[in-house]
Amino acid sequence: MNISPDQTVLFEFGFIRISATLLFTWLVIALLAVLAWRMTRYLSDDTALSPWQNLLEALIEGILGQIREVTRQNPAPYLPFVGTLFIFIATCNLLSIVPGFEPPTGSLSTTTALALCVFVAVPLYGIQRRGWRAYLKDYVEPTPILLPLNIIGELARTLALAVRLYGNVMSGAVVGAILLIITPLFFPVFMHALDLLTGIIQAYIFAVLATVFLAAATTVQEKRG
Amino acid sequence: MQIDAFTVVAQIINFLILVWLLKRFLYGPITQAMSTRQQKIAAALHEARKKAEQAEVAVREYQTQRAELDAQHEAWLEQAHQEVAAQRELWLEQARQEIDAQREEWLAVWQRERVENQRALQREAAHYLTKAVRHALHDLADADLEARMLASLWAKLRVLEAGERATLAQAALGGCTLLTAFPLESALQQQSQVALCEELGADLPLTFRHDPNAAFGATLEMSGHRLAWTLDRYLDGFSEALAQVLNTPATVDHDAQR
């Protein structure tokens, strides 16, 4: 039994190792890109909307509302990053119901990659918004002695973010597989349904946590000032 | 539980590509459409507010014009009332003047008729009085009235002064006319011819004329002179007495009548 899709290697050449994680990630990316392109081909800026446009606008408006609520800032700069996090993770988790599909988010490498993206994005947004000096000053606040602890806090935060998502997705898949062996008829169906719910919740939590970290990096100095 | 470095790097790149793709094909168009719609709605609202303000201004202008028209209407109505009142007064005054003129005319006609009636009454009274006097004289003095009136006329001529008689005699040479209100009998005409010749001279031409409308009595007319004895003086006194009886003034006085 493979715990992670990383263990399913499709192609390997030197250090290049194409696993199921990458394959399903590309599939998800292709699916999302095609859907986005198709659904936004005939957008209307009038008051009469198609159902698809209405759905997309509700989704985007919902994400913008969440970002605005957490950051208390203009949500537009954060939308591509946070929105893509949510949509990618939610899509991967929802597609886990498809037989044969292994969600890339069940790979610790994927969640680590996403956590690293957040890890890098937080200082980038902070520096972009507040400047080098003001952002780095946060690490020696309230006293320079706390600099190592602040750095450890940042790393731990990133690790926790990665492991949380991985653990939830992977555990759902593993538990489903075990239950399928033990009680093969109806119970796994409920577990899969529960997986869909927890998958959406995990996507929401990951996106909201990333937004909280971004908000912390971009608004702390302002509050102190 | 392993972390594959290549997979991590590849997933980072994949995620960044996905961010770019979604930004290019999803967030950009959607937010652009939403922004455009928002601007349109804002523009529509702005336009609606502008039109509402214009409508409000138009309503205020309309109300102002309405108030002006009402005021003008009131002024015209007041002016019309005044003109009607003035015209009414004018017409009333004209009617009063016409009525006064009509009344004056009626009064004049009535007065004229009254005078005529009075004169007719006087004539009628004189006629009956004369008739009565004639009967009375005839019964009492055994002489008729015409003879007594002619006798009075000749007696009046007889008592004239010499100068006056000479003047009358001179005037009588041109011809004399004896005017009476009654026809003279031939005997009386002959007596009158004789009396005239005796008083003013022989062979004086005397003609006789009878006019029922003449004053009751006898009048001797010659060129530029006349000598008369009539009942007018007596009748005037009788008329005054009659007027007093009828409680009306004997003479016409327009001012007093008004």
Side-chain angles (χ1 to χ4, degrees), chain A residues 17 21-22 25-26 29 36 40 43-46 49 53 57 61 80 83-85 88 108-110 113-114 166, chain B residues 1 3-4 6-8 10-12 14-15 18-19 21-22 25-27 29-31 33-34 36-37 40:
Chain A
R17 198 163 153 237
T21 303
L22 289 177
T25 300
W26 291 336
I29 289 172
T40 56
L43 285 180
S44 164
D45 55 7
D46 207 346
L49 300 179
Q53 185 177 349
E57 288 193 5
E61 191 60 44
T84 306
L85 273 179
F88 176 69
L108 187 59
S109 301
T110 304
L114 294 178
Y166 162 75
Chain B
M1 190 172 72
I3 296 175
D4 182 32
F6 174 77
T7 306
V8 170
Q11 286 295 68
I12 289 172
N14 286 338
F15 179 74
L18 183 61
V19 169
L21 285 172
L22 290 187
F25 293 112
L26 184 65
Y27 307 128
I30 289 285
T31 51
M34 288 164 66
T36 307
R37 185 185 305 113
K40 278 187 178 178

Side-chain angles (χ1 to χ4, degrees), chain B residues 79-116:
Chain B
Q79 188 181 357
H81 281 152
Q82 289 176 356
E83 287 178 358
V84 166
Q87 190 66 32
R88 183 170 170 273
E89 282 300 318
L90 181 66
W91 285 347
L92 278 175
E93 186 60 30
Q94 286 178 353
R96 266 191 223 106
Q97 289 176 357
E98 286 176 4
I99 288 171
D100 286 347
Q102 194 75 28
R103 188 166 169 271
E104 290 288 336
E105 191 177 340
W106 287 346
L107 276 175
V109 170
W110 177 77
Q111 198 65 36
R112 206 160 47 239
E113 288 176 354
R114 187 168 170 273
V115 170
E116 286 176 1

